[in-house]
Amino acid sequence: MSEQKESSVLFSLKELMNLEEDRIKTEEAQKAAAAAAAEKARLDAERAAREAEEERIRQEEERRRNEERRAREEAARLEAIRQAEIEKARLEAEQQARLAAMAAQQQHERSLAALQQDESKSRLRKILIGVVAGVVILGGVSGVMIYNTIQKNEQERMIQEARAREAEEQVKRLEAARKESEAKEAELRRQLESAKDESTRLALQKQLEAEQAKQEQLRRGGGGSARPASGGAPASGGGTKAPCNCAPGDPLCSCL
């Protein structure tokens, strides 16, 4: 009888031990599953963050390409307008020179017809011929000078527009770099707050300090550059005045 009781007790103890082992295994399995789920969630979050950053960079690059394309199209349009204006000015100058030459020729013919009636006025005829020839030459020279002045002014205007566009593009590039750096800094701060081990925190801290130094350089670069004035003239006291190439007495001279 006592042996049966001992056997029952041993059996119960063994069952309890088996139950305890099963409970421990179940808890360990649950912990392992929870750890695996947490690791999967972390990896999914990191992948989502990477994909979001890649999408942002792709959109920014697309926006930059579109802006560059629009800038090229606008430059081509302005160049076409400029060439049309130059051609129009050239044609007008040639037309004025032709009209002046025709008027001088007509006056010359009328003067010759009048002078042929009186041979005693030969000296006056020679003088008048010289005057008419001078008028023709002066008309041609004036047309060329007008055309050259218009072309020179147009070239100066194009240089000023190119400088303005270059300054504007520089400002846009600095602004885009600044925004990208700020976004990267925010991401580094987020990673730094969630970092667990010290080595990762140190590495992230170094990257954050480098990004902050980069932002400081961008701020200095953006604040130190100034857009050129709309007139395009150099600041007084800093450079020498360009030499004047206008003909004496030219009413269209820009050096005055």
Side-chain angles (χ1 to χ4, degrees), residues 24-25 32 78 94 156:
I24 293 172
K25 290 179 180 179
L78 293 175
E94 291 179 353
E156 292 178 353

Side-chain angles (χ1 to χ4, degrees), residues 188 191-192 195 199-209:
L188 287 172
Q191 294 179 7
L192 183 62
S199 60
T200 303
R201 291 178 61 84
L202 289 176
L204 291 172
Q205 184 65 34
K206 288 182 180 180
Q207 296 180 20
L208 180 61
E209 292 174 355

Side-chain angles (χ1 to χ4, degrees), residues 64-104:
R64 183 185 63 80
R65 286 196 296 267
N66 290 335
E67 289 181 354
E68 290 178 352
R69 177 179 55 80
R70 286 193 294 269
R72 289 193 298 270
E73 292 175 353
E74 180 65 15
R77 186 182 69 83
L78 293 175
E79 176 65 16
I81 293 174
R82 185 188 71 84
Q83 292 294 340
E85 290 177 352
I86 291 176
E87 182 64 16
K88 180 181 177 182
R90 184 184 66 81
L91 293 175
E92 289 178 352
E94 291 179 353
Q95 181 67 15
Q96 290 175 2
R98 283 195 297 269
L99 291 175
M102 290 175 61

